[in-house]
Amino acid sequence: MALTPVEIRHLTPPRTTFRGYRVEATDHLLEEIAASFEDVWRERADLADRVEQLETDLVRYRELETLLRTTLVSAEQASAQTRDQARREAELILTQAHAEAREIQRRAIAENERLAHESRRLRAQLQEALSAFGIEGPAETHEEPAARTEADADAEDERSWYGYPSGTVHSAADAA
């Protein structure tokens, strides 16, 4: 049976006639025991309160830990999703850029063909105009522009718009 400090203070041991005890020393001893027991009870109550506080803190920290784990998993998932989305967007941009490059190349080829056709038409008109004045123009070449050499291109660049080399004056051209 556990005794409280108050019970110890009010405890009076039974007395015998032959074997008595010294009242003052025994009462002093009982007071020390009661004081010591009071300290132990107070300390026990403080420790019980502390245990209760620590258990509350532990519950709170476990909730925080769960929340942090959930947040970390969510952050990892968001990071992976962001990387995947960025990769998909980069692939889309690259695909669009390739498509645009092909379109630009297709238009450039079409424009080149149109200009080559226009150039042949103008040469034919120039040839007709020169023939109408009785002037023999340069021989018409029917080779593809890609097959011409660099020397041919340089020679053609040196011609005036009449089709004659620069610096050469033709009397019929001056008369016209």
Side-chain angles (χ1 to χ4, degrees):
M1 162 178 157
L3 297 175
T4 65
V6 174
E7 291 172 337
I8 293 174
R9 285 190 197 283
H10 292 10
L11 181 70
T12 47
R15 292 183 192 194
T16 63
T17 48
F18 296 109
R19 293 184 111 196
Y21 65 90
R22 285 193 215 161
V23 177
E24 192 175 301
T26 304
D27 287 343
H28 182 63
L29 179 61
L30 286 175
E31 278 297 317
E32 285 180 20
I33 291 171
S36 173
F37 200 63
E38 268 181 7
D39 291 342
V40 169
W41 260 47
R42 210 174 296 116
E43 195 173 307
R44 186 183 129 222
D46 290 344
L47 289 174
D49 291 344
R50 180 75 176 137
V51 166
E52 186 178 324
Q53 178 63 39
L54 289 174
E55 286 175 348
T56 304
D57 290 347
L58 181 62
V59 168
R60 190 181 58 157
Y61 289 138
R62 284 189 178 151
E63 289 172 354
L64 282 174
E65 179 185 17
T66 303
L67 180 63
L68 286 174
R69 285 179 193 227
T70 304
T71 303
L72 181 60
V73 168
S74 296
E76 288 173 348
Q77 289 173 347
S79 172
Q81 288 174 351
T82 302
R83 271 194 312 270
D84 289 344
Q85 183 179 358
R87 182 185 46 76
R88 284 191 304 270
E89 287 178 5
E91 288 173 357
L92 179 63
I93 290 170
L94 190 58
T95 301
Q96 289 173 345
H98 284 289
E100 189 175 331
R102 284 191 300 273
E103 178 62 24
I104 290 170
Q105 185 179 16
R106 186 191 60 75
R107 283 186 296 197
I109 290 170
E111 180 68 12
N112 187 27
E113 289 174 2
R114 186 189 67 75
L115 290 174
H117 177 69
E118 183 68 17
S119 175
R120 284 190 295 270
R121 187 183 65 77
L122 289 174
R123 281 197 181 125
Q125 285 180 348
L126 178 62
Q127 189 70 29
E128 287 175 14
L130 290 175
S131 296
F133 287 115
I135 303 170
E136 185 178 320
E140 182 71 29
T141 61
H142 295 289
E143 57 186 67
E144 290 296 317
R148 295 184 355 210
T149 64
E150 190 174 318
D152 292 339
D154 289 342
E156 192 161 314
D157 286 343
E158 291 180 16
R159 298 176 194 267
S160 69
W161 67 278
Y162 287 113
Y164 294 105
S166 300
T168 305
V169 179
H170 196 281
S171 58
D174 289 336

